[in-house]
Amino acid sequence: MPNSNEMFNPRPVLKFLDDSIIKKIITEARSILGNLGVEIHNKEILSMLHDHGAKVDMTKGHVLLTDDVIDDALKKTPRSFKLYDVLGNETHDFSGYEVHFTPGSAALNILDSNTQEIRRPTTEDYVRYAKLVSQLQNIASQSTAFIPADVHEHISDSYRLYLSLLYCEKPVVTGAFTVEAFTVMKELQVAVRGDEDGLAAKPLAVFSCCPTSPLKWSEVTSQNVVDCARFSIPVEFISMPLSGFMAPVTLVGTLVQHTAETLSGIVISQLTKPGAPVLYGGSPAIFDVRYETTPMGAIGTQMIDCAYNEIGKYLGIPTQAYISLSDAKQLDAQAGLESSMGATLAALAGINNISGPGMLDFESCQSLEKLLLDNEICGMALRLTKGIQPKEDFPALPRFEELLKEQHLLISEHTQKYLKEELYFPGPVIDRANRPRWQDEGSSTLLQRAQKEVEKLIEHYAPSRLPDTIKRELTKIMSEEARRCGMSDLPRIDV
Amino acid sequence: MQILQEISEVLQSGNGEKVAALTKQAIEKEILPKDVLDKGLIAGMNIVGEKYRSHDLFLPEVLLAAKAMYAGMDILKPLFLKDGIPTLGRVVMGTVQGDIHDIGKNLVSIMLRGAGFDVIDLGKDVSPKKFVETARKEKARVIGMSALLTTTMVVMKRVIDLLRKEGLQGKIKTIIGGAPVSAEFAEQIGADAYGYDSMNSVDCIKRLMEKE
């Protein structure tokens, strides 16, 4: 009989692919990059790739990536990296099967907490969001979850980061909409860390950089990859092939395209600066040919996410995916089922950075009430990843002697020691009351409980411990940027 | 007084040894035993109850606090020799005849003691006669009955019928609880209250006493 203590790893792991099919997918992706190549609308990058031996057509903005170039980049790619909060404390270890949840990002709309109607978000909404996410135990980072519509569009990306850094201590998953915005977003981070070396040593934010399917990089996104690499700011590549539309209809065919697009991003990043931290990420989706939509809650989408994560792991690169979100328009049963299925699969697959909580409607609408519910889903998924393992359970006899003697184990030392570690207890949004108690407490719906809890948490928010001098510096940087874009004043906020 | 506040706090954390030690200190400082009881022990348990209702504490923590309270009560008891330790009232508890499932009833007993009630726990498989005789003899104000089975819940009505027959209905209140019973069933059989969980049962019994 094997020694269970030595051999048993309790963490359950979900796998769709075996090594032979992963190798085949990577080989096909390399073949596409070598024979069909990638369009990159950025002369500086094309020139750099040319210097590294890639076959570049400067006039067409086209490059063929040979195996040598790809291998060179893969060798330089870090196997893991960490994130740190605004105070410099480590919060994320992107390695192995470690999983961390972050809210879905960059929604154009918010579902109003009171009316549950869709509308454009404002600064006040963003502050409420940051206050809420700072208290959600199972959401490890904040993302710049939606775009405040009450500031000039040229600062709508940096302004989100500014508010996040002011109100919440957690690191940030974000992105720049323009090449110019990167500079101010970098400056905001440098203000928190003190200097550029400090920021490189303790990354504070991950930038999403998206190729355009099929096999293209715009000037802005490719330049964002380069700029992030130069300052060792982590990047997550967000390849978005659409099965049956802008990618083959089969999941394997979509994976080939995702692999090619992501490898091209890795090449740009690692040839710019070897060792720049990256996540092997994405937001692929199946294409629903009935509605002309890209459902993020589709089981096919979720399977592609988990499978490309396996390819990333095979290549030794930490991973990310937009999964654990829903296409429902409200906080309804569809929202719960799609988000919980995604979170569960993603956690089991070991996707290192799981983006999605709070998001509805094809990544276009954030809901604070859904974010609160999803925090519970994430808590359950995180518990799932710990699996089942003995905790002073053998020998069993003494525990059962105690049970028979005391008639219960409610206050047993064993119970006191393991209760909260072994069993996940969700917050009040999840109904666990018996029916009379539920009725006694108002027969509330999930939405009503979520609304109540969201308001309670926002009310009990404790301000970020980031020193006031740094908060003032952030405001100075942001105000200057706003003035540059013609806004004399930023919206009033109470820090 | 600072020490009474401390007793309340260590009781909330479930530390029986400290509760006992601080209770002794309070008595040595010549604080009235009734104040130690009301403003230290009972005050602490009331906060525990509130925190349990708001999900800030879980059941094991409530039970540990109750156990810590008993440690303090043991110190105080000899000081109330003449009239006995003041309580919120006496409750007779039991699982009804034919039923041996007593987990829920035990929880309610623990919670009642923690809240300051004097509980006579008759255990399980308790006959109607035993419930009524004990309640009368011990001058209990409330009978609490528990059942887990649909086949035994009918015994609850027999207890209430017997109280009526003996002319005690209304003088001795009744409360029922357990998985198969409900507020509707309580009304149907003439019980005065229905408790859907241990803390709710304590609240119901307090309300029954207030009505008197």
Side-chain angles (χ1 to χ4, degrees), chain B residues 102-115:
Chain B
D102 60 355
I103 299 168
K105 180 267 298 170
N106 290 346
L107 275 181
V108 176
S109 293
I110 294 169
M111 292 294 199
L112 282 169
R113 287 190 181 113

Side-chain angles (χ1 to χ4, degrees), chain A residues 262-457:
Chain A
T262 308
L263 284 176
S264 68
I266 289 169
V267 167
I268 297 171
S269 162
Q270 298 306 308
L271 298 192
T272 300
K273 184 172 182 183
V278 295
L279 291 174
Y280 195 94
S283 186
I286 66 149
F287 187 68
D288 194 312
V289 290
R290 304 165 305 166
Y291 293 97
E292 304 169 27
T293 53
T294 55
M296 303 309 296
I299 189 65
T301 298
Q302 297 175 2
M303 291 168 77
I304 298 166
D305 289 329
C306 294
Y308 80 66
N309 152 77
E310 290 174 46
I311 296 170
K313 288 195 186 313
Y314 179 86
L315 293 168
I317 305 170
T319 60
Q320 179 275 350
Y322 277 87
I323 185 170
S324 78
L325 60 172
S326 172
D327 305 309
K329 311 301 176 284
Q330 299 173 30
L331 186 50
D332 58 13
Q334 182 182 337
L337 81 90
E338 290 178 341
S339 301
S340 54
M341 191 178 341
T344 304
L345 293 175
L348 290 178
I351 296 172
N352 301 112
N353 200 29
I354 304 171
S355 301
M359 195 63 96
L360 293 161
D361 198 1
F362 310 97
E363 298 189 48
S364 74
C365 183
Q366 260 286 346
S367 155
L368 300 191
E369 292 69 38
K370 179 174 186 291
L371 185 59
L372 184 88
L373 171 67
D374 289 354
N375 175 58
E376 300 301 351
I377 295 173
C378 298
M380 294 178 201
L382 289 169
R383 172 62 191 88
L384 188 61
T385 63
K386 294 193 179 83
I388 296 175
Q389 55 184 322
K391 287 166 187 163
E392 296 182 49
D393 287 297
F394 308 137
L397 202 56
R399 195 85 55 241
F400 285 84
E401 285 170 346
E402 184 185 356
L403 173 57
L404 293 178
K405 181 174 170 233
E406 301 294 333
Q407 292 298 297
H408 65 79
L409 292 174
L410 279 165
I411 55 173
S412 154
E413 277 183 25
H414 187 249
T415 305
Q416 291 181 54
K417 187 169 175 187
Y418 291 113
L419 179 74
K420 289 180 184 175
E421 174 187 325
E422 187 73 350
L423 310 178
Y424 178 71
F425 293 99
V429 70
I430 301 291
D431 172 27
R432 293 262 177 96
N434 59 31
R435 182 170 284 271
R437 179 166 177 176
W438 172 73
Q439 289 169 328
D440 203 23
E441 292 176 353
S443 306
S444 59
T445 63
L446 183 142
L447 175 61
Q448 288 167 335
R449 291 193 298 278
Q451 286 169 317
K452 189 176 166 190
E453 188 67 7
V454 163
E455 297 310 320
K456 182 181 151 192
L457 289 175

Side-chain angles (χ1 to χ4, degrees), chain A residues 184-201:
Chain A
V184 68
M185 293 177 83
K186 187 255 298 175
E187 287 306 318
L188 289 169
Q189 295 179 76
V190 168
V192 171
R193 289 286 185 255
D195 54 35
E196 288 173 1
D197 289 343
L199 178 61

Side-chain angles (χ1 to χ4, degrees), chain A residues 135-157:
Chain A
Q135 296 171 81
L136 299 180
Q137 300 292 319
N138 304 309
I139 308 286
S141 60
Q142 46 179 333
S143 71
T144 41
F146 49 83
I147 304 167
D150 53 350
V151 294
H152 194 287
E153 62 184 42
H154 286 170
I155 62 164
S156 58
D157 45 9

Side-chain angles (χ1 to χ4, degrees), chain B residues 35 69 72-73 77 84 93 99 104 107 154 185 189:
Chain B
D35 283 348
M69 180 175 175
M73 297 275 266
K77 263 180 200 161
M93 290 290 299
D99 207 323
L107 275 181
V154 292
F185 180 72
I189 65 170

